[in-house]
């Protein structure tokens, strides 16, 4: 079924990542104009080329920028609206992570993770809202994590920001309902993104062992990035028109 976002315009932050890149491809396949934002120029170039290869008619604009700087959001939104005439969908997907316990994580690391994983979502929301309100079908999808709801050790700062996104989503959904803007969260589980593929090749740890150790879900496997991106498409499209303030777990049935 094509054309689910025909003629609409979307901004996707973290667009050079696995889920962001998959969402870009799917959105373009469904007729959207897509603006991708990421600070990794090389990865962004590869994603844009991949989108063009799978969808030759794709309307995709890559923007290399550090979303941890507040002014970036307004600049990207202004450029998007000037180029495409409006904005209908915002997908906040960017994230950085550090494998550190709370006791061992210094202030400056918390500062970086909070700026990118949480405050950038706020800055893009604030810049996008005036245009999403006039769209008539505005949708915001915040990409969180299964570990916003499940506990673990070793990634306290990352998981704290991901949990904060759940509250941000709920509050914003209540505030924006009168303006016709829907706001939802997806929480992916174990997804085979380029980041994790690199980690699986870490010396000293067999790839097969890491896969076995880190996929404790009912389905017993990692997700393909497109499997995590399709729920984003659903929430962004008219098929999700009666869904707001929701948290959608896309985790294969996490076991703990």
């Amino acid at each position: 079924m094509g054309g689910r976002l025909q003629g609409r315009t979307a901004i996707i932050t973290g667009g050079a990542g696995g889920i962001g890149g998959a969402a870009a491809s799917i959105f373009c396949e469904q007729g959207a104009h897509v603006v991708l934002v990421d600070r990794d120029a090389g990865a962004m170039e590869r994603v844009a080329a991949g989108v063009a290869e799978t969808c030759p008619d794709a309307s995709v604009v890559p923007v290399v920028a550090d979303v941890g700087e507040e002014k970036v959001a307004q600049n990207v939104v202004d450029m998007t609206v000037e180029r495409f005439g409006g904005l209908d969908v915002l997908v906040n997907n960017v994230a950085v992570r550090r494998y550190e316990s709370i006791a061992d994580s210094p202030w400056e690391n918390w500062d970086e993770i909070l700026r990118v994983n949480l405050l950038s979502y706020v800055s893009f929301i604030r810049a996008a809202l005036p245009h999403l309100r006039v769209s008539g079908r505005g949708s915001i999808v915040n990409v969180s994590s299964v570990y916003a709801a499940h506990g673990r050790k070793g990634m306290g700062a990352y998981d704290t920001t991901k949990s904060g996104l759940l509250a941000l989503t709920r509050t914003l959904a209540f505030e924006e309902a009168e303006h016709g803007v829907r706001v939802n969260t997806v929480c992916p589980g174990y997804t085979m993104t380029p980041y994790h593929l690199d980690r699986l090749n870490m010396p000293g740890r067999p790839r097969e062992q890491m896969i076995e150790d880190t996929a404790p879900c009912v389905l017993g496997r990692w997700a393909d990035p497109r499997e995590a991106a399709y729920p984003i498409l659903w929430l962004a499209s008219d098929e999700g028109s009666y869904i707001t303030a929701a948290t959608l777990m896309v985790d294969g049935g996490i076991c703990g």
Side-chain angles (χ1 to χ4, degrees):
M1 183 171 59
R4 295 155 79 180
L5 294 177
Q6 192 65 43
R8 303 187 198 186
T9 299
I11 293 173
I12 302 175
T13 69
I19 295 175
S25 181
I26 291 171
F27 277 32
C28 287
E29 291 166 12
Q30 296 297 322
H33 308 293
V34 177
V35 175
L36 299 176
V37 189
D38 203 291
R39 66 184 180 185
D40 188 331
M44 180 78 82
E45 184 177 344
R46 290 190 293 272
V47 167
V51 171
E53 182 178 346
T54 59
C55 186
D57 297 328
S59 175
V60 58
V61 178
V63 177
V64 177
D66 182 359
V67 300
E69 299 178 13
E70 183 181 9
K71 64 182 180 182
V72 166
Q74 192 63 60
N75 292 341
V76 171
V77 169
D78 288 346
M79 180 276 294
T80 301
V81 172
E82 180 178 356
R83 180 155 185 168
F84 296 113
L87 179 61
D88 306 287
V89 179
L90 171 63
V91 179
N92 280 313
N93 170 67
V94 68
V96 295
R97 68 190 75 201
R98 290 180 181 272
Y99 293 86
E100 300 170 329
S101 68
I102 292 174
D104 297 327
S105 182
W107 179 274
E108 56 269 23
N109 290 358
W110 277 85
D111 183 67
E112 180 196 16
I113 290 177
L114 285 167
R115 282 191 298 107
V116 174
N117 293 12
L118 188 57
L119 294 181
S120 80
Y121 287 50
V122 174
S123 64
F124 270 87
I125 286 166
R126 287 165 58 90
L129 275 177
H131 306 286
L132 296 174
R133 288 171 175 175
V134 301
S135 162
R137 50 193 179 186
S139 175
I140 298 172
V141 183
N142 294 321
V143 179
S144 179
S145 165
V146 64
Y147 286 108
H150 291 271
R152 61 175 168 175
K153 62 181 181 180
M155 290 185 71
Y158 178 88
D159 293 350
T160 296
T161 60
K162 292 302 185 177
S163 293
L165 293 177
L166 304 188
L168 174 66
T169 294
R170 289 190 298 267
T171 300
L172 189 64
F174 276 80
E175 292 178 350
E176 291 303 314
E178 65 185 278
H179 301 293
V181 178
R182 297 182 297 105
V183 192
N184 295 286
T185 303
V186 296
C187 291
Y190 295 94
T191 307
M192 194 57 72
T193 63
Y195 174 86
H196 287 298
L197 283 171
D198 289 343
R199 289 189 67 230
L200 291 175
N201 290 322
M202 285 170 44
R205 189 171 192 188
R207 180 187 181 103
E208 295 77 12
Q209 183 64 48
M210 186 169 179
I211 292 174
E212 180 180 341
D213 289 347
T214 57
C217 64
V218 174
L219 294 183
R221 63 174 179 83
W222 290 65
D224 181 87
R226 287 178 71 93
E227 292 180 291
Y230 271 116
I232 298 174
L233 168 66
W234 179 64
L235 289 170
S237 74
D238 289 342
E239 294 167 24
S241 59
Y242 198 60
I243 310 294
T244 197
T247 298
L248 179 59
M249 308 303 289
V250 187
D251 61 0
I254 199 73
C255 299

